Amino acid sequence: MQSIFKRTLLPIILGLLVFGFWISPDFQEIAAGVAIFLFGMLMLEDGFNQFSGGFLEKLLERATGSTFKSLSFGVLSTTIMQSSSLVSVIAISFLSAGLISLTAGVGIIFGANIGTTTGAWLVAGFGLKVKISAYAMPMLAISIILVFQKSKYLKGIGYVLAGLGFLFLGIHHMKEGFEAFKDQFDLTRFAMTGFLGLMVYTLVGAAATVVMQSSHATMVLIITALAAGQISYENALALAIGANIGTTITAIIGAMTANFQGKRLALAHLIFNVTTAGVALILISPLRDAVDLISDAVGIRPDDYALKLAVFHTIFNFLGVVLMLPMMQKLIAFLIRTIPEITPDVSKPRYIGEAVAGFPATIELALRKEVAHLHENAIDLILQALNLRRDALYQARDIEAYVAASRTNFDVDLEAGYEQRIKSLYSAILEFITTSLAGDLTESSVQTLHQLRRSAEEMVRAVKEVKHLRDNAARFTRKDYGEITRLYNRIRTELARMIVEAKKMADADPEMRSSLWLEEERVRAKKVKAELGDYVEGLMIRGALKGPQATSFLNDAAYGYRAMKDIIDATRFLYSEQQGAMAEIEQILAADEDDVETAGASS
Amino acid sequence: MGLRNIVKRLDKYQQRLDEGKAEKIKAHHVEKAIEKLAAKEVELTEELGSAEKPEKRARLEEKLSTIRAQIEKARWLSQEI
């Protein structure tokens, strides 16, 4: 059913457009105006994406402190970006990536509904009063010069300027189109009064917004049509209410691929907008009176319906926030009840997915979290393979003594564990990286993604190395077999120490953490390998270790060394500075493989 | 780990900087890197203070010495840039 709808919708829309073009050339100008307006919004989005890795995402990440902050952020970002849908989708993306709380997300959505009212003011107050195309032309001419600049920030400013230019140009063409259109057709013939009119035009407003995926575009269309006298004021009010319902479709589509948190936020958006629309419909008469009162007070002419519609749009969105804000905690409790958190499946990705794929900063942050998730799974499996308990190890004051005392063999199927907890997650990470790299990323983002891929790769390799030595390590440490037990315990101890260092890095304050903290561990892994080789040689000379057992141990020691190195490198790649001057410093100060080799051999 | 390889890495950085492929390191960046290393130095010193086993003390002393060497190198870098 859904696929039939999807398949037929596009031909229907195209057919209606062609029919419209055929019966009226002015309709072409209106449709082109809408298209230019939407194109302007896309350019604005592209422009803001150029600032990714900084501006918007960092602001959004910080807008979690309080409800007021997140609300203000919603207002501000929507005012700047002129798209509440885009802000909602970004909020869903950040919530899915675990970067903001649900409360902050709901606050942003509330704020976005206030921010979106600035669009109506822009068009009604400015777009219709002045020759807006006079501003659009120079903006477009300047923007194209900036777009061709090398600096991504200048390029970003160019796209934003071009976006605004196209928005203005789109408004101009819609205005012109409606002005000419009214000489041929009188759309007011279709005006409806009373409850039926309210309902029908609310539905039309919602449907138009669903098709255009932008309440802004719908509002511009309504205001320009209203200014040209093509729709009645009453019907325009209903259309504006409908636009507020229709705009939730973008967030709903965005949440389809999001996790439970993203879905909760999309539901919050729907509840907020439908409730606000419901209240506005019920209170339509008192709201109209309030609009007249405010308009008189601020000096808006009684027949300036475009500005009055902007006042109405603002009042009813504010009313929605005022009504819903005291119920915010109840709303959040309802969302949590309605869309419960699925018990996290460790084998499934928690942070990466299509919902976070649209924005470079979300891609990096979500991927970093997902790789950390893979690390957690890998460390768990490695510790099980070594017959060590994670919590006990992290609490142990004497790691060597704890390892020596851990003799019980864990009943663990490493192969199955690898398939379930490592391989599937690793595949998802690789797939996400490949898809993301195919998109439009900055050079530094590409580097970060490569580094995170290496981190995942090294940790997966560590698991494989440990799998090789598991059987012998378990067999010879079950009870005290003398030297061979001490040797295997040494490998287990050194691996456990590396894991504890990796844990310290994970727990450290991200602002104070440095991958240079692990330099000693890199050298230490090398030293351990050399020391064990020398020690085994001594044992063989003394006859304390037989040839086959010694060879077998040296093979396992090599696996152990590689696993240590992989764990440390995986941790370094995950937590090292990946962009900018701090990354350059770490690269200069960190030892390269030659340095490590020399230091390991000389000690 | 002497300074020889660091000098090579610094030269490479300078080259990439000239080509516009690297971000310029400023004094406050190096200060931040030193601050991070110094925080680890404090942590290790405290750990050493409470460590009793000679092997553990030896390990911590080695770690401390590596961190101090890193701080020295960072100071040298600060002069170079």
Side-chain angles (χ1 to χ4, degrees), chain B residues 11-71:
Chain B
D11 286 346
K12 275 187 191 164
Y13 158 75
Q14 290 289 3
Q15 203 179 329
R16 287 194 300 114
L17 188 68
D18 294 343
E19 290 166 2
K21 289 178 182 168
E23 194 176 309
K24 181 153 180 60
I25 299 173
K26 294 187 179 144
H28 70 89
H29 292 128
V30 187
E31 275 162 29
K32 181 73 187 168
I34 293 175
E35 194 190 340
K36 290 178 176 188
L37 290 164
K40 191 68 180 174
E41 187 189 9
V42 170
E43 187 194 309
L44 289 169
T45 311
E46 280 171 10
E47 217 180 318
L48 183 65
S50 61
E52 287 163 8
K53 267 178 94 173
E55 297 90 341
K56 186 170 183 178
R57 291 188 64 84
R59 260 198 326 277
L60 286 168
E61 272 158 10
E62 268 183 51
K63 276 195 79 140
L64 255 174
S65 134
T66 307
I67 285 286
R68 283 174 183 152
Q70 291 287 348
I71 293 174

Side-chain angles (χ1 to χ4, degrees), chain A residues 193-506:
Chain A
T193 51
F195 181 72
L196 183 70
L198 262 183
M199 286 300 129
V200 169
Y201 275 87
T202 301
L203 286 176
V204 171
T209 309
V210 168
V211 171
M212 290 191 281
Q213 297 260 310
S214 164
S215 62
H216 249 69
T218 313
M219 279 305 292
V220 173
L221 205 55
I222 298 166
I223 291 172
T224 43
L226 181 65
Q230 284 290 66
I231 50 172
S232 73
Y233 176 53
E234 286 75 14
N235 291 158
L237 298 184
L239 284 167
I241 295 171
N244 253 42
I245 299 173
T247 194
T248 57
I249 191 73
T250 317
I252 291 168
I253 292 169
M256 276 177 183
T257 53
N259 64 8
F260 65 97
Q261 286 282 57
K263 290 189 172 75
R264 282 173 181 170
L265 192 55
L267 181 61
H269 194 16
L270 183 68
I271 291 172
F272 175 85
N273 286 36
V274 170
T275 309
T276 309
V279 171
L281 285 172
I282 294 166
L283 301 177
I284 191 84
S285 293
L287 277 175
R288 276 190 64 169
D289 295 343
V291 170
D292 291 341
L293 213 69
I294 292 168
S295 300
D296 283 347
V298 296
I300 296 171
R301 281 185 294 111
D303 61 343
D304 192 342
Y305 291 116
L307 270 181
K308 282 169 94 171
L309 182 65
V311 175
F312 172 78
H313 194 228
T314 308
I315 291 178
F316 98 79
N317 272 299
F318 262 99
L319 182 69
V321 173
V322 170
L323 285 175
M324 294 296 284
L325 214 51
M327 292 194 285
M328 193 162 161
Q329 289 313 316
K330 279 191 180 150
L331 172 68
I332 286 168
F334 171 77
L335 295 170
I336 293 170
R337 261 199 324 275
T338 314
I339 304 174
E341 181 180 359
I342 304 150
T343 314
D345 181 346
V346 288
S347 65
K348 297 241 164 69
R350 283 182 197 161
Y351 308 99
I352 54 173
E354 276 180 47
V356 297
F359 311 96
T362 348
I363 290 173
E364 287 176 36
L365 290 164
L367 183 63
R368 194 181 301 278
K369 285 189 167 209
E370 204 62 72
V371 173
H373 173 206
L374 175 76
H375 278 208
E376 238 175 78
N377 283 2
I379 294 292
D380 262 358
L381 204 60
I382 289 173
L383 287 175
Q384 283 182 36
L386 298 174
N387 293 332
L388 300 174
R389 294 190 192 283
R390 191 172 59 168
D391 294 343
L393 171 67
Y394 291 156
Q395 283 163 17
R397 281 185 60 81
D398 185 340
I399 293 174
E400 191 180 10
Y402 165 68
V403 169
S406 301
R407 293 178 170 187
T408 314
N409 194 19
F410 289 5
D411 184 18
V412 53
D413 182 347
L414 274 189
E415 207 49 58
Y418 176 78
E419 289 290 325
Q420 283 164 13
R421 303 182 62 183
I422 310 292
K423 203 174 167 186
S424 58
L425 189 56
Y426 181 48
S427 305
I429 287 172
L430 289 186
E431 199 176 319
F432 181 77
I433 292 174
T434 310
T435 315
S436 302
L437 285 174
D440 189 15
L441 292 179
T442 60
E443 201 179 318
S444 62
S445 290
V446 170
Q447 268 177 19
T448 304
L449 261 58
H450 283 306
Q451 185 124 331
L452 291 172
R453 176 163 62 192
R454 257 189 98 180
S455 175
E457 201 177 284
E458 301 277 352
M459 198 47 107
V460 171
R461 212 159 44 205
V463 177
K464 288 180 183 166
E465 304 289 359
V466 172
K467 261 175 26 181
H468 289 302
L469 65 90
R470 147 90 183 164
D471 285 347
N472 284 341
R475 188 190 321 152
F476 292 116
T477 57
R478 212 170 294 160
K479 56 183 183 178
D480 192 354
Y481 292 104
E483 286 293 356
I484 192 74
T485 302
R486 277 188 283 284
L487 284 171
Y488 275 102
N489 272 345
R490 175 83 195 273
I491 298 179
R492 289 166 78 210
T493 304
E494 294 299 342
L495 274 166
R497 282 191 180 127
M498 298 294 173
I499 288 169
V500 169
E501 290 306 320
K503 163 84 173 148
K504 281 183 189 166
M505 280 291 282

Side-chain angles (χ1 to χ4, degrees), chain A residues 101-166:
Chain A
S101 68
L102 181 59
T103 312
V106 172
I108 291 168
I109 296 283
F110 284 9
N113 274 275
I114 296 176
T116 195
T117 61
T118 57
W121 285 102
L122 185 77
V123 182
F126 177 64
L128 298 179
K129 302 277 187 283
V130 293
K131 196 168 162 45
I132 201 164
S133 56
Y135 293 89
M137 300 307 175
M139 280 166 103
L140 288 172
I142 294 169
S143 72
I144 201 70
I145 297 169
L146 296 176
V147 163
F148 285 118
Q149 295 306 306
K150 243 185 180 177
S151 154
K152 71 170 189 167
Y153 295 113
L154 283 179
K155 205 185 271 263
I157 294 169
Y159 276 114
V160 170
L161 205 59
L164 286 173
F166 280 120

Side-chain angles (χ1 to χ4, degrees), chain A residues 527-594:
Chain A
K527 277 184 203 168
V528 170
K529 188 187 174 201
E531 278 172 20
L532 282 172
D534 292 347
Y535 191 69
V536 168
E537 203 179 306
L539 288 176
M540 286 174 74
I541 293 168
R542 283 192 282 126
L545 204 62
K546 299 283 174 236
Q549 206 171 36
T551 318
S552 173
F553 172 77
L554 286 175
N555 281 339
D556 287 338
Y559 291 132
Y561 159 71
R562 286 197 291 267
M564 278 179 237
K565 189 176 173 303
D566 292 340
I567 291 168
I568 291 304
D569 284 345
T571 312
R572 285 174 55 229
F573 293 138
L574 180 59
Y575 297 115
S576 61
E577 296 280 351
Q578 291 173 357
Q579 290 171 19
M582 293 302 291
E584 297 292 347
I585 294 175
E586 287 196 352
Q587 274 171 31
I588 294 169
L589 295 183
D592 52 32
E593 288 307 316
D594 285 350

